[in-house]
């Protein structure tokens, strides 16, 4: 068979069709092959600020509030940020650690009617924004995940279960391009840690399914270290 029609497996089955306009195809490479610049962890300065109060005193209180607000506002919308740096040319994700065993991505609930990107930047400012009068630069690069909470309880899934018609929460994950250098001010009741992808991968027992799935989610990006493309 003419090679312009695709590759052949076992001498019989075509696995891909031809690309009639290769010039147009390669012009899309910047869109298809996304590049994200990573800078070393040592580029960033970490300070502290007053503790960030939790809205709910317990897990049960959180889901009670979610239930009450669902009656008034409907499904909760929330956003979480994927912030990536590197150490020794290996990607690390910045996580908030609470206590000794609980980790989460920076983010939280959106206000009713609030724009997702604006809300993501607001929540990053509230959690990690500097307090010295300067302003952090948060560049929202891409939406990299959607997680759904079908009921008023902890489990979340990367899909809406078939029997669920009214999920109770929709959480979007956004990849955020960090500037080359910046200052993070971390609330005193949190610890900001950099977790390497090899530790997160397939490690839901330690980090939960959302964070453990990040190595696969962001593997579609091309990372350039020290901002060099």
């Amino acid at each position: 068979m003419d090679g312009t029609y695709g590759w052949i497996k076992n001498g019989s089955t075509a696995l891909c069709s031809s690309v009639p306009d290769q010039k147009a195809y390669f012009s899309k490479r910047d869109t298809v092959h996304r590049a994200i610049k990573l800078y070393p962890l040592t580029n960033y300065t970490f300070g502290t600020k007053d503790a960030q109060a939790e809205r709910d005193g317990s897990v049960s209180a959180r889901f009670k509030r979610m239930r009450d607000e669902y009656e008034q506002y409907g499904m909760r919308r929330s956003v979480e940020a994927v912030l990536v740096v590197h150490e020794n040319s290996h990607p690390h994700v910045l996580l908030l650690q609470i206590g000794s065993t609980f980790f989460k991505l920076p983010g939280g609930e959106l206000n009713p009617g609030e724009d997702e990107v604006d809300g993501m930047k607001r929540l990053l400012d509230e959690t990690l924004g500097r307090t010295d009068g300067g302003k952090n630069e948060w560049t929202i690069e891409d939406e990299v995940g959607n997680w759904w909470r079908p009921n008023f309880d902890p489990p979340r899934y990367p899909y809406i279960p078939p029997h669920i018609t009214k999920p109770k929460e929709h959480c979007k994950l956004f990849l955020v391009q960090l500037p080359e250098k910046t200052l993070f001010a971390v609330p005193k009741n949190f610890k900001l840690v950099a977790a390497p992808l090899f530790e997160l991968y397939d490690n839901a027992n330690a980090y939960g399914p959302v964070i453990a799935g990040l190595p696969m989610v962001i593997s579609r990006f091309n990372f350039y270290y020290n901002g060099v493309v």
Side-chain angles (χ1 to χ4, degrees), residues 71-87:
E71 298 298 324
Q72 183 176 3
Y73 302 112
M75 180 184 67
R76 174 178 290 179
R77 298 180 305 128
S78 57
V79 290
E80 296 180 353
V82 181
L83 309 173
V84 189
V85 298
H86 83 82
E87 280 195 289

Side-chain angles (χ1 to χ4, degrees), residues 2-224:
D2 189 335
T4 60
Y5 289 97
W7 295 288
I8 303 300
K9 182 178 181 181
N10 297 329
S12 60
T13 306
L15 298 182
C16 77
S17 61
S18 61
V19 181
D21 187 350
Q22 294 189 16
K23 189 173 183 180
Y25 170 77
F26 286 108
S27 70
K28 298 178 182 178
R29 288 180 64 86
D30 290 341
T31 301
V32 175
H33 302 282
R34 293 290 306 280
I36 301 297
K37 298 178 181 179
L38 301 187
Y39 299 98
L41 181 62
T42 53
N43 275 27
Y44 301 102
T45 304
F46 301 92
T48 60
K49 60 185 175 184
D50 292 342
Q52 188 175 74
E54 294 285 344
R55 295 187 64 181
D56 308 296
S58 65
V59 174
S60 60
R62 181 187 180 206
F63 289 115
K64 181 182 183 304
R65 181 170 63 85
M66 180 183 288
R67 186 185 296 274
D68 294 341
E69 292 178 349
Y70 183 83
E71 298 298 324
Q72 183 176 3
Y73 302 112
M75 180 184 67
R76 174 178 290 179
R77 298 180 305 128
S78 57
V79 290
E80 296 180 353
V82 181
L83 309 173
V84 189
V85 298
H86 83 82
E87 280 195 289
N88 300 318
S89 296
H90 183 77
H92 286 56
V93 178
L94 297 183
L95 303 174
L96 291 171
Q97 180 178 348
I98 305 172
S100 58
T101 59
F102 183 74
F103 300 88
K104 69 175 186 176
L105 295 169
E109 304 168 29
L110 295 174
N111 296 322
E114 185 175 25
D115 177 78
E116 296 166 348
V117 172
D118 291 341
M120 183 79 269
K121 293 179 179 180
R122 172 183 63 80
L123 289 162
L124 284 171
D125 281 335
E126 291 176 2
T127 306
L128 297 176
R130 55 201 300 168
T131 58
D132 61 352
K135 185 172 178 59
N136 294 85
E137 180 184 342
W138 312 112
T139 302
I140 311 301
E141 277 291 339
D142 209 334
E143 179 182 319
V144 295
N146 287 274
W147 286 78
W148 305 84
R149 192 186 306 277
N151 301 301
F152 299 110
D153 50 30
R156 293 190 291 178
Y157 303 90
Y159 54 85
I160 301 176
H163 63 286
I164 298 296
T165 57
K166 296 181 178 181
K168 305 308 183 288
E169 182 179 13
H170 179 198
C171 178
K172 289 190 176 184
L173 273 58
F174 289 100
L175 180 66
V176 179
Q177 171 70 69
L178 291 175
E180 183 175 359
K181 295 182 179 181
T182 195
L183 166 67
F184 297 106
V186 185
K188 292 181 180 179
N189 54 329
F190 295 153
K191 182 180 180 181
L192 192 64
V193 299
L197 291 193
F198 66 79
E199 183 177 321
L200 301 181
Y201 178 66
D202 200 26
N203 195 3
N205 287 337
Y207 295 97
V210 176
I211 294 175
L214 289 178
M216 290 178 287
V217 168
I218 65 176
S219 67
R220 68 186 180 90
F221 295 97
N222 294 312
F223 292 118
Y224 294 96

